[in-house]
Amino acid sequence: MSSILRRVFSRRTLLIASGGTVLTISGGYWYLNSGPAYPESTRETRRAPPPWTPPSRAEMLASLKASGKNAPSPENSDEVFDLLIVGGGATGAGVAVDAVSRGLKVALVERDDFSAGTSSKSTKLVHGGVRYLQKAVFELDYDQYKLVREALHERKIFLQTAPYLSHMLPIMLPIYKYWQVPYYWAGCKLYDLLAGKENMETSYLMSKGKALETFPMLKQDGLVGALVYYDGQHNDSRMNIALILTAVKLGATVANYTEVTSLHKDPSGRLIGAQLTDNLTGASFPVRARGIINATGPFADALLTMDDPAHTPIVQPSSGIHITLPNYYSPRKMGLLDPATSDGRVIFFLPWQGNTIAGTTDTPARVVRDPLAPEEEIRWVLEEVRRYLAPDIKVRRGDVLSAWSGLRPLVRNPGAASTEGLVRSHMVHVGKSGLLTIAGGKWTTYREMAREAVDEAVRVFGLEGKVKSGCVTENVRLVGSDGWTRNMFIGLIQRYGLESDVAKHLSDNYGDRAWTVCSLAEPTGQNWPLHGTRLSPQYPFIDAEVRYAVTHEYAQTAVDVLARRTRLAFLNVQAALDALPRVVDIMASELGWSRSERKRQIAAAVAFFASMGLPPSEVPVLPEPLPRGPAEKAWAWLWSGFGFGFGFGFGRGLGVPHVGKEAGSSHGRARFESPELAALTAAFERHAKSVDVDGQAEAVIELERLSEAVAEVQGYEAVTKRDFLYVLEEAGLTKSSGLNFDEFIEICGNLKEVAFAPVLNEQKRERLRIPVEKSGGGV
């Protein structure tokens, strides 16, 4: 007995037990304190932060003009900008924040609106890139590995510098084969390991039952389980605006709709400035700068060619399309990643701003301002979505609320076989004239890109004596962050009487600036809510945001507000079209627009909506501006008094028109107008044959001839074989020898819902089948 006790209480045993205890306690402490630490507010009071109004665009233009007004001399050297940044997207705005925070005199100009290009059309993820990690491992590619490490480090900083605009999001990888369990588990654990102490949350394995409980829309046939990992998500264009405003608050001069039309050089060929044009007024003026940075993303080659006509392009653009679907397509707190689509691409399926976005594709593209999302790409995304959702969920083309295409500014690699094989790293290039170009990269790494660009600019342009420090942007919190907490929205409700979802939206998109937004809200005149008139009944955007965008965020057009200050055009382009006259009316009160200017703004917005998935051809009559002033209101009253009405009156729903009692009571026939039903009937009769069914002759059409018959009907020519297979499987008719007339009509009705984009119908709007607020609508 004594020998046993001596062994149990030996030094070796006690040392092992003590070490195990310390290790267990340390591990438990680490686990309990792991995950993202939500930054606390820097304010010590619940009072609203003091208001801040940035200098107006007119003041910014005056500052730009002052730098080029006088000939260069030692007396006016302070008027010369240290850096002129061309491009107001994520990269350009990031460079501006970095440079001005070091003490440099900075100017930034953007040809269109801030974040008008790629920076507002991303997948909305702040991520290291699991796809790049996979390539790094299997291709032993160190550059890919470095990109992932860099992005994971920047992901942590991203979520700390703008905590109200970004948050962590769990993303599920559904597993349908048992051998994939250790494969995906090892990959996600490696992803966690590379993040190190900056990891957000630890990835974990989910059972089949738990996966279906969390994501009930998931297809359960063959499902083994799921693996969940964490990445970040943000509101990209609002993040861009926060960067711009932060640069302004630190002392930068910025101007949107200001284009570089030529570059100025000294006799030795070195750049000393540029000629700028205000695209809103047409006024042209020079600006002087010690250095120019080209941060124009996919358009980088345009400025490089302006500098050197013999320039060889360095950007190989690739387009990625996204579609927005109603919120019932995904849970509110869980995304989904399909790592192996039918053609090997990766697709995300993510909750965002109350709806669901799906994308993206990867296709070589031309550089254009507002690229369109091709119909075949939209259908491809829908087909991939169908592969992962439960069969009782009908994935309809009509559920697409908006569709957009963004250009990835990939740095050209002549040896790459496709754009998918390119690393989305960045490069800093200095031309013979001194033009510094920062190209490539992605949203997550914008800060690191900016740091490298400014470091190089300080060296190349001899600005060492002007900087106060090195890069400090790891600790620069963006405008709106200091007074924000996750519970700030409660104070907004209590003070302004807002609806809960409106208050949460304002808090999560404006940070502590939401107090200023609310101060611009007009009373509703109702018992509840007291303030905050919505622009669209389905979404939490309110009228005060339009005023704030004009007075505090440099919004100059209706598109700026609907697409980039609010995100209504990205969430539901039909809702944006409905809200357009109201938005234009509010902006007119702030900017003094005439009736002709309001009509021009409406026409320009409708044209832009084509890049959001709503072709102008589907808007038969442009919306009319709301009447302003006594004369317009009197004219509107007289016009309506004669029965003509004032306004535009589009249908609010986007379902499929039906005919009513004259077409019969069949569930399938109720989906068609009379001429269409007659055409389908004629097509059926031409291709049907008589067969014996229970001793009676019945006309049926063979499945092999179904597509041929349907293609004869106008509007059905583009229906694909996959669409036919999908609706036949849904109806359980894939093994049928033939379809009778009612089954044929039912299949055609399903095809109409699944494959057709909805058509606006002015005359039949009162008979639309499913209102937009019930079905989600679509384009």
Side-chain angles (χ1 to χ4, degrees):
M1 185 68 179
S2 59
S3 62
I4 295 175
L5 290 174
R6 280 197 300 271
R7 288 185 179 182
V8 171
F9 293 103
S10 67
R11 291 181 179 179
R12 181 179 179 184
T13 304
L14 291 174
L15 186 62
I16 293 172
S18 300
T21 302
V22 170
L23 188 63
T24 301
I25 293 174
S26 300
Y29 177 82
W30 173 84
Y31 176 77
L32 291 174
N33 289 276
S34 63
Y38 294 99
E40 294 184 5
S41 169
T42 58
R43 299 185 61 81
E44 299 178 356
T45 173
R46 289 196 296 271
R47 295 178 62 190
W52 171 69
T53 302
S56 67
R57 183 173 181 273
E59 292 174 291
M60 293 294 189
L61 291 174
S63 178
L64 288 171
K65 292 174 182 177
S67 75
K69 189 176 294 184
N70 302 311
S73 67
E75 290 76 20
N76 60 28
S77 61
D78 289 343
E79 296 176 354
V80 179
F81 290 103
D82 294 320
L83 292 178
L84 171 63
I85 301 163
V86 185
T91 304
V95 170
V97 172
D98 191 303
V100 74
S101 64
R102 300 192 196 196
L104 297 176
K105 185 175 182 180
V106 175
L108 179 148
V109 294
E110 163 60 44
R111 177 187 64 182
D112 300 306
D113 184 31
F114 305 122
S115 76
T118 302
S119 298
S120 63
K121 299 176 179 177
S122 71
T123 310
K124 325 302 181 192
L125 285 177
V126 186
H127 63 132
V130 288
R131 175 174 57 162
Y132 306 126
L133 178 60
Q134 181 188 39
K135 289 178 183 244
V137 172
F138 284 100
E139 299 175 11
L140 300 178
D141 191 329
Y142 185 63
D143 288 334
Q144 299 267 17
Y145 168 79
K146 286 196 302 182
L147 176 65
V148 176
R149 282 297 304 270
E150 175 186 89
L152 287 172
H153 172 67
E154 291 301 315
R155 182 184 69 177
K156 181 72 171 182
I157 299 171
F158 201 114
L159 270 64
Q160 289 179 336
T161 55
Y164 66 97
L165 283 170
S166 50
H167 59 273
M168 68 177 184
L169 177 72
I171 300 176
M172 177 187 293
L173 284 80
I175 301 173
Y176 286 91
K177 297 188 185 307
Y178 282 100
W179 66 264
Q180 292 177 335
V181 174
Y183 174 72
Y184 287 153
W185 184 88
C188 288
K189 289 303 176 185
L190 180 58
Y191 197 60
D192 294 342
L193 184 64
L194 287 178
K197 64 180 182 180
E198 296 171 330
N199 194 27
M200 306 177 80
E201 285 284 1
T202 304
S203 58
Y204 59 92
L205 195 62
M206 240 184 205
S207 67
K208 175 181 177 179
K210 192 67 176 176
L212 290 173
E213 178 187 341
T214 306
F215 207 122
M217 307 85 175
L218 205 60
K219 181 178 70 174
Q220 63 175 318
D221 185 25
L223 183 67
V224 173
L227 211 141
V228 177
Y229 75 97
Y230 287 81
D231 255 328
Q233 189 179 51
H234 73 136
N235 187 337
D236 48 9
S237 71
R238 290 229 46 92
M239 180 72 179
N240 205 141
I241 292 298
L243 286 168
I244 290 291
L245 293 177
T246 302
V248 170
K249 196 168 188 178
L250 292 173
T253 299
V254 305
N256 53 353
Y257 295 100
T258 305
E259 183 174 1
V260 173
T261 52
S262 64
L263 298 172
H264 297 164
K265 300 179 181 180
D266 64 14
S268 66
R270 300 289 295 180
L271 289 172
I272 57 172
Q275 190 73 17
L276 305 182
T277 298
D278 181 353
N279 286 335
L280 298 181
T281 64
S284 182
F285 54 91
V287 63
R288 289 186 292 138
R290 295 181 175 90
I292 299 179
I293 295 181
N294 176 9
T296 53
F299 301 92
D301 285 321
L303 197 61
L304 285 165
T305 303
M306 185 186 296
D307 177 51
D308 178 11
H311 161 72
T312 301
I314 64 170
V315 174
Q316 182 172 323
S318 162
S319 73
I321 75 113
H322 297 79
I323 62 174
T324 307
L325 297 166
N327 57 14
Y328 49 72
Y329 271 88
S330 70
R332 293 300 83 214
K333 298 293 185 181
M334 179 71 74
L336 184 142
L337 168 63
D338 178 0
T341 61
S342 57
D343 62 358
R345 293 184 283 189
V346 172
I347 189 170
F348 287 96
F349 195 59
L350 308 169
W352 183 71
Q353 297 283 307
N355 280 347
T356 301
I357 60 172
T360 178
T361 57
D362 193 1
T363 310
R366 294 184 304 107
V367 176
V368 294
R369 285 199 184 188
D370 292 314
L372 304 180
E375 183 64 26
E376 59 271 20
E377 294 286 321
I378 295 173
R379 291 182 181 277
W380 178 84
V381 173
L382 288 173
E383 287 166 4
E384 295 303 323
V385 169
R386 287 169 185 160
R387 291 177 62 232
Y388 270 89
L389 295 188
D392 59 339
I393 299 175
K394 181 182 291 185
V395 180
R396 308 183 303 176
R397 176 60 180 84
D399 280 340
V400 177
L401 304 176
S402 64
W404 72 90
S405 175
L407 295 176
R408 297 186 185 92
L410 304 180
V411 179
R412 176 178 290 278
N413 178 359
S418 68
T419 60
E420 187 185 6
L422 294 174
V423 181
R424 285 172 67 186
S425 58
H426 56 273
M427 57 161 282
V428 177
H429 169 75
V430 181
K432 295 178 182 179
S433 67
L435 178 62
L436 190 153
T437 299
I438 172 74
K442 59 181 182 176
W443 243 118
T444 308
T445 58
Y446 84 89
R447 194 200 65 85
E448 176 64 18
M449 293 169 63
R451 183 192 66 78
E452 291 185 23
V454 177
D455 283 348
E456 185 69 4
V458 169
R459 184 187 68 81
V460 172
F461 303 136
L463 301 174
E464 292 86 353
K466 291 184 171 291
V467 295
K468 298 183 298 185
S469 65
C471 179
V472 296
T473 51
E474 273 199 36
N475 302 311
V476 173
R477 285 161 67 88
L478 302 189
V479 164
S481 299
D482 286 341
W484 178 84
T485 67
R486 288 186 295 160
N487 297 320
M488 192 191 83
F489 75 98
I490 298 174
L492 296 176
I493 297 172
Q494 292 172 337
R495 175 171 296 191
Y496 291 100
L498 302 174
E499 293 175 283
S500 296
D501 60 333
V502 171
K504 192 75 168 65
H505 154 72
L506 294 177
S507 172
D508 291 349
N509 285 280
Y510 295 89
D512 63 23
R513 300 294 98 190
W515 296 100
T516 305
V517 177
C518 290
S519 70
L520 300 174
E522 295 181 350
T524 62
Q526 302 173 359
N527 291 333
W528 191 265
L530 303 180
H531 292 86
T533 302
R534 296 183 185 236
L535 299 176
S536 170
Q538 301 165 258
Y539 297 95
F541 307 111
I542 61 173
D543 55 353
E545 293 180 72
V546 182
R547 298 185 185 92
Y548 183 83
V550 174
T551 58
H552 291 73
E553 295 182 339
Y554 304 108
Q556 302 297 310
T557 71
V559 172
D560 296 348
V561 172
L562 287 168
R564 294 177 285 272
R565 304 308 187 275
T566 71
R567 307 313 304 274
L568 189 54
F570 282 81
L571 292 171
N572 188 328
V573 70
Q574 175 62 38
L577 178 65
D578 291 344
L580 178 57
R582 174 66 176 146
V583 169
V584 170
D585 185 63
I586 297 172
M587 295 186 74
S589 67
E590 298 292 336
L591 297 172
W593 286 342
S594 65
R595 178 172 172 79
S596 60
E597 176 62 20
R598 282 178 277 146
K599 294 185 75 170
R600 192 189 70 80
Q601 288 287 333
I602 288 174
V606 171
F608 169 80
F609 290 158
S611 67
M612 291 286 106
L614 184 70
S617 60
E618 294 192 7
V619 185
V621 181
L622 287 178
E624 284 288 333
L626 298 178
R628 294 183 59 80
E632 287 188 20
K633 290 180 179 179
W635 176 251
W637 180 80
L638 288 172
W639 193 253
S640 61
F642 284 106
F644 297 110
F646 193 88
F648 58 99
F650 281 104
R652 302 294 175 188
L654 290 172
V656 181
H658 69 89
V659 294
K661 295 181 179 179
E662 70 272 17
S665 58
S666 166
H667 173 69
R669 301 181 198 191
R671 309 181 194 191
F672 305 101
E673 299 286 351
S674 298
E676 187 177 4
L677 183 60
L680 289 170
T681 303
F684 178 84
E685 291 174 349
R686 284 193 296 271
H687 292 270
K689 66 177 184 179
S690 180
V691 297
D692 183 75
V693 179
D694 297 330
Q696 295 184 349
E698 183 177 18
V700 300
I701 188 169
E702 297 176 340
L703 293 186
E704 294 77 11
R705 306 197 66 183
L706 178 61
S707 60
E708 180 184 348
V710 172
E712 294 179 0
V713 181
Q714 184 177 2
Y716 288 77
E717 304 91 341
V719 176
T720 66
K721 291 183 178 179
R722 289 186 177 183
D723 292 330
F724 276 108
L725 182 60
Y726 182 70
V727 298
L728 287 169
E729 287 179 347
E730 180 188 42
L733 295 172
T734 52
K735 297 181 180 179
S736 175
S737 58
L739 307 179
N740 61 31
F741 180 69
D742 283 337
E743 290 170 337
F744 174 76
I745 291 299
E746 179 185 350
I747 291 299
C748 291
N750 290 343
L751 283 172
K752 192 166 184 176
E753 284 193 342
V754 167
F756 288 11
V759 179
L760 296 174
N761 189 329
E762 173 69 11
Q763 285 72 33
K764 300 290 184 179
R765 68 177 186 269
E766 73 282 0
R767 291 157 65 181
L768 291 176
R769 185 166 151 265
I770 305 175
V772 66
E773 59 270 18
K774 298 291 181 62
S775 74
V779 299

